Amino acid sequence: MLQTISETSQAVQQLHALFAECWERELAENPITASYIGDPRFNALWPDLSPSALAASEAANRDALARLQALPREPLPAEEQLNFDLFQHELQARLAVLPFQPLAYAISAREGPQSLNELAEIMPLDSVADVEVWLQRLRGLPRYLEQYSALLRQAALEGRTQPRLLMERVLPQLQMQVDPKVQADPSQSPFFSAFARLPARLGDSAIARLQSEAKAVIAQAVLPAYQAFKSYFENEYLPACRDSVGISDTPEGLAYYQNRIEFHTTTRLTAQEIHQIGLDEVARIHAEMKRVMDGLGYSGSLAQFFEFLRSDPQFYCQSAEELFAAYVMCAKKIEPELCKLFGKLPRTPYGLRAIPMTSAPNTTAAYYSGPSDDGLRAGFYYVNLYRPEMRPKYEIEVLTVHEAVPGHHLQIALAQEQQDLPKFRRFAGYNAYLEGWALYAETLGFELGLYQDPYSHFGQLTYDMWRAVRLVVDTGLHALGWSRQQAIDYFRANAAKTEVDIVNEVDRYIGWPGQALSYKIGQLRVLDMRRRAEASLGPSIDIRAYHDMLLDGGALPLDLLDRKVDAWITAQQTRPQTGQ
């Protein structure tokens, strides 16, 4: 039976009302996420980690799924059916992971309550009112850290802990928060750095008052809270942590890992299948590396070439300032070339920042932080300036196209600017798409005029190899019984990354099972989609239109992206031809 226009309209209204209601609830439940997105209503709050709050969140998601499935899907237009399917997918994924207690593993060497001062990086601090909201949030920090301790205590009782060797890396970060110099002078706290750089337009008297209040809050709330958390962490949690590194050694660990594989890759691949894909990719990229080495006239082994790249001073900057300037120059070189490959570019700008030193020693070479929804905060490409003598110049181009443009910033900013999409889609986080796109963007460097220097080309291959190694190492650690040292040795033997990066990366995979699989699995699928489009359309393909199509609906699971590409190819083939 044909549906009336009014029935269709009513179904769409009901669907979007549910989207909006759930979005509001999720922001209220996740104030840090709200701050990241740029919704200021919850900037004074922390997440509620109490058992009652977590139970209420689960119940609300189950209710939302039931209400969604009670809505009629058939009357909806095709685009709204896609919205329906994606929202159902998201709710089901949230519920499917809950039996594994994912919050038990939320703390890692690179993320967690040890570095909450870095939240100031995304907080608006442009007015006296803004700063007072941040102070209010800091006053509430003790309750949040108490709840976090209780969460870890329950996790330890259930055997759901992070590995001890990983958590030992958290202790120095906590020590920075409670260092004796901070106890003697609160202005030495990592939390005070945001108050030390308040804008001059606030006025001298207001700045002096706010800084005085900040010192008092740090001394009376922040410092005692961190002292209590560090005491619990060091004396109770750390001794209870497991000696093993694989998630398979935790309750239902292998099932949890398969859940994470499916979540991060949006596929049904098994750990063994992904491990083999990784081995095949490692072999393929080795052959490409050998061709570059032959072009340079290098007659030594791959291992010897890796050591040459790691140790020769010509490949490294001498200071953090020199390294930062090199990143800025690279970003500026790429931007004017983007119009060759894209018809639509984001209006939102991005900038470069150094990763804060509270986390820089324990995190990756760079990362991207998205813009705010209100347009008041740009996107930022964060680069690691810790130990510049270990950050090779030949990686700068490939890292920049991944994290900035045409990688994460271009894709994420464009998605957020699409006001016709529901918010859950504008901010969707399908890792296989997000990271698959960014890794695909690395290959676009050739079309953007990069990698002209053979060492820079080798840097691109090093990054491709890095993601192939991830498939082998992540599955090795979490499903095949590999040790941490085995993972480090395999990484070192197959990629020219420096020692500090290799160790940080392996520890990242240990603490975040499955996430690292999304890059290469996503890239391989996106590359296959482009080959399919080029084979079908030949030289008539409009690559700018093709890329615009890939990006115009925000992040999608890979199977839905496949369908979208096939539909676009068919539309191009049936489009009326013009001209002679």
Side-chain angles (χ1 to χ4, degrees):
M1 179 184 295
L2 293 175
Q3 302 292 330
T4 66
I5 293 176
S6 62
E7 287 176 321
T8 300
S9 176
Q10 183 180 19
V12 170
Q13 288 176 5
Q14 290 176 323
L15 185 66
H16 281 262
L18 182 59
F19 294 160
E21 177 188 326
C22 290
W23 181 258
E24 287 295 300
R25 172 177 59 82
E26 289 153 21
L27 292 183
E29 290 177 357
N30 301 283
I32 295 176
T33 300
S35 295
Y36 180 84
I37 286 172
D39 189 321
R41 292 175 295 164
F42 309 99
N43 279 351
L45 304 176
W46 298 99
D48 187 346
L49 300 179
S50 65
S52 60
L54 298 179
S57 177
E58 177 181 356
N61 281 324
R62 292 193 185 282
D63 176 69
L65 180 59
R67 291 165 60 194
L68 176 71
Q69 293 174 336
L71 293 177
R73 182 181 180 279
E74 290 69 24
L76 299 171
E79 184 63 22
E80 297 300 344
Q81 288 186 357
L82 176 59
N83 288 335
F84 182 107
D85 293 343
L86 288 171
F87 196 58
Q88 179 173 252
H89 180 281
E90 184 167 320
L91 290 171
Q92 288 173 334
R94 290 181 200 169
L95 294 170
V97 74
L98 289 181
F100 305 109
Q101 303 296 318
L103 282 178
Y105 309 104
I107 187 170
S108 71
R110 55 195 301 269
E111 290 182 350
Q114 67 269 31
S115 53
L116 291 172
N117 55 288
E118 294 181 12
L119 186 55
E121 295 279 320
I122 61 169
M123 287 283 288
L125 297 174
D126 301 315
S127 69
V128 170
D130 288 340
V131 181
E132 288 174 340
V133 167
W134 179 226
L135 285 168
Q136 185 178 347
R137 186 173 242 175
L138 295 186
R139 292 186 185 99
L141 185 58
R143 178 174 178 268
Y144 180 62
L145 290 182
E146 287 171 7
Q147 290 183 339
Y148 215 108
S149 294
L151 191 73
L152 294 181
R153 186 173 289 109
Q154 183 61 35
L157 288 174
E158 297 178 8
R160 302 179 193 274
T161 70
Q162 290 280 24
R164 185 178 299 110
L165 63 84
L166 201 64
M167 294 296 91
E168 286 171 345
R169 298 189 67 171
V170 173
L171 267 183
Q173 300 173 66
L174 288 172
Q175 184 57 44
M176 291 179 68
Q177 302 290 0
V178 299
D179 192 273
K181 66 182 181 182
V182 176
Q183 299 179 46
D185 179 7
S187 69
Q188 299 301 307
S189 167
F191 280 88
F192 191 78
S193 59
F195 297 95
R197 56 176 188 266
L198 294 177
R201 64 177 175 275
L202 300 187
D204 292 343
S205 61
I207 290 174
R209 176 180 66 80
L210 293 168
Q211 289 178 339
S212 177
E213 286 187 33
K215 292 176 187 177
V217 170
I218 291 168
Q220 297 165 17
V222 174
L223 184 57
Y226 269 104
Q227 286 172 326
F229 184 81
K230 177 179 179 291
S231 177
Y232 163 73
F233 185 90
E234 184 172 18
N235 298 319
E236 296 184 48
Y237 180 71
L238 198 56
C241 286
R242 56 192 164 100
D243 295 321
S244 62
V245 294
I247 199 67
S248 58
D249 198 46
T250 64
E252 305 92 37
L254 283 174
Y256 180 42
Y257 188 49
Q258 184 60 37
N259 174 277
R260 295 296 81 196
I261 288 174
E262 294 176 11
F263 176 79
H264 289 297
T265 70
T266 66
T267 73
R268 295 284 185 175
L269 291 168
T270 66
Q272 289 72 21
E273 288 170 333
I274 291 174
H275 193 81
Q276 187 59 52
I277 292 170
L279 293 173
D280 293 343
E281 278 292 283
V282 167
R284 179 189 66 79
I285 300 165
H286 272 164
E288 293 193 31
M289 288 179 161
K290 184 65 167 59
R291 283 193 285 273
V292 175
M293 290 165 58
D294 290 344
L296 286 165
Y298 190 87
S299 58
S301 68
L302 193 64
Q304 289 171 326
F305 192 65
F306 286 169
E307 191 55 38
F308 164 61
L309 293 176
R310 290 178 184 130
S311 59
D312 195 304
Q314 69 171 304
F315 299 120
Y316 299 89
C317 295
Q318 299 306 303
S319 68
E321 292 75 17
E322 181 188 355
L323 180 59
F324 189 78
Y327 278 115
V328 172
M329 288 296 293
C330 180
K332 291 301 179 186
K333 180 171 67 174
I334 293 169
E335 287 176 355
E337 306 300 320
L338 293 174
C339 55
K340 296 177 181 176
L341 298 178
F342 301 92
K344 184 177 181 181
L345 297 172
R347 299 185 303 274
T348 309
Y350 75 96
L352 277 76
R353 284 179 174 172
I355 294 175
M357 289 307 295
T358 43
S359 61
N362 297 289
T363 196
T364 51
Y367 56 77
Y368 172 73
S369 178
S372 61
D373 191 33
D374 58 11
L376 298 178
R377 186 184 73 240
F380 280 96
Y381 169 28
Y382 280 83
V383 295
N384 202 326
L385 305 182
Y386 172 71
R387 297 186 67 188
E389 72 280 4
M390 299 291 285
R391 312 283 174 190
K393 297 176 185 177
Y394 56 78
E395 293 183 355
I396 290 175
E397 289 184 342
V398 66
L399 188 54
T400 302
V401 295
H402 181 106
E403 300 293 350
V405 290
H408 282 320
H409 176 70
L410 190 150
Q411 183 268 314
I412 289 173
L414 278 175
Q416 291 183 197
E417 290 173 6
Q418 295 180 53
Q419 298 294 327
D420 57 327
L421 292 178
K423 285 195 174 182
F424 84 91
R425 285 192 59 187
R426 290 171 53 208
F427 295 93
Y430 298 106
N431 276 336
Y433 178 101
L434 298 178
E435 300 299 352
W437 169 263
L439 189 48
Y440 167 74
E442 293 179 16
T443 68
L444 297 180
F446 293 101
E447 297 170 74
L448 294 169
L450 304 178
Y451 315 142
Q452 298 298 309
D453 179 90
Y455 293 109
S456 183
H457 182 188
F458 201 88
Q460 180 268 326
L461 291 174
T462 293
Y463 268 49
D464 203 25
M465 176 65 83
W466 171 23
R467 279 42 168 267
V469 163
R470 283 176 169 177
L471 301 186
V472 180
V473 167
D474 196 285
T475 53
L477 287 164
H478 295 298
L480 304 179
W482 281 28
S483 68
R484 178 175 182 257
Q485 191 58 51
Q486 189 176 354
I488 290 171
D489 291 344
Y490 183 87
F491 204 138
R492 187 188 295 112
N494 289 285
K497 297 289 285 178
T498 58
E499 189 72 14
V500 66
D501 272 350
I502 289 172
V503 172
N504 281 346
E505 282 294 312
V506 169
D507 284 354
R508 168 188 171 181
Y509 312 152
I510 291 171
W512 201 358
Q515 191 272 345
L517 306 177
S518 58
Y519 298 70
K520 175 57 74 169
I521 296 299
Q523 178 220 33
L524 291 174
R525 288 282 288 275
V526 174
L527 285 170
D528 180 68
M529 291 172 203
R530 177 164 173 177
R531 283 191 291 268
R532 200 161 72 237
E534 290 176 332
S536 299
L537 300 176
S540 68
I541 188 171
D542 182 344
I543 198 61
R544 298 166 82 238
Y546 174 75
H547 285 146
D548 291 348
M549 174 274 300
L550 282 182
L551 298 172
D552 69 9
L556 293 171
L558 293 179
D559 59 340
L560 293 180
L561 187 63
D562 259 322
R563 274 190 254 163
K564 183 178 182 180
V565 169
D566 287 341
W568 184 82
I569 292 170
T570 299
Q572 298 300 302
Q573 290 171 327
T574 57
R575 187 178 58 182
Q577 300 297 310
T578 59
Q580 298 295 322

